[in-house]
Each structure stands twice: as structure tokens, then as C-alpha cells.
């Protein structure tokens, strides 16, 4: 990334809690995003830390497969 360049990203972890369909809530200690290309594949080849299960519902399967843990 160059300075001033606009990028697309997917939020994979948020400090603000997210309500799930079963009524439970999930939140993380820090916010995190994954930069994506226009074809919705990640720019990088590694993802550190857990990601939310809701990414699977939004068809980000490549991010899910790279993540070490899905919560």
C-alpha cells in the first residue's frame, strides 16, 4: 500500500459486540481488518488471530480458510 491509496477491507474482529441469531454476543479485544482485492480475495497470504463465523455467511471463504481459528 502506498500513502494516500484507498483500499477495500473486511472487518474480521470488532471490540463492539455483535449479536448472533441464537441470541449470544461475540466481541474481541482489538479491531482488525483484512485488505481485499476487487475480486474479494485477500491481498495477503496470512491471517493472524481468530475471525468471526459471520464471514462464512458473507461468502469470504478464503479468509475463513486462512484464519487459524473461527469463533
Amino acid at each position: 500500500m502506498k500513502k494516500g491509496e484507498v483500499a477495500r477491507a473486511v472487518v474480521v474482529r470488532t471490540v463492539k459486540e455483535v449479536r448472533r441469531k441464537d441470541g449470544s454476543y461475540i466481541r474481541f479485544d482489538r479491531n482488525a481488518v483484512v485488505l481485499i482485492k476487487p475480486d474479494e480475495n485477500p491481498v495477503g497470504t496470512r491471517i493472524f488471530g481468530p475471525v468471526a463465523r459471520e464471514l462464512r455467511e458473507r461468502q469470504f471463504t478464503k479468509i475463513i480458510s486462512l484464519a487459524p481459528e473461527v469463533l
Side-chain angles (χ1 to χ4, degrees):
M1 297 292 307
K2 296 184 178 102
K3 183 178 178 183
E5 187 176 348
V6 177
R8 291 178 44 141
V10 176
V11 177
V12 293
R13 290 191 294 271
T14 62
V15 174
K16 173 70 176 157
E17 62 276 345
V18 176
R19 187 172 188 270
R20 291 192 165 161
K21 291 179 182 177
D22 64 358
S24 65
Y25 289 88
I26 184 168
R27 72 175 173 209
F28 297 93
D29 293 336
R30 299 181 71 178
N31 298 324
V33 298
V34 174
L35 298 175
I36 58 170
K37 299 175 190 173
D39 63 353
E40 298 197 350
N41 284 322
V43 173
T45 57
R46 295 186 297 172
I47 295 177
F48 299 105
V51 297
R53 188 182 320 132
E54 285 77 8
L55 291 176
R56 190 181 313 275
E57 299 166 4
R58 293 183 172 89
Q59 307 303 318
F60 290 108
T61 53
K62 182 71 174 176
I63 295 173
I64 293 284
S65 67
L66 291 173
E69 186 177 4
V70 179
L71 298 178

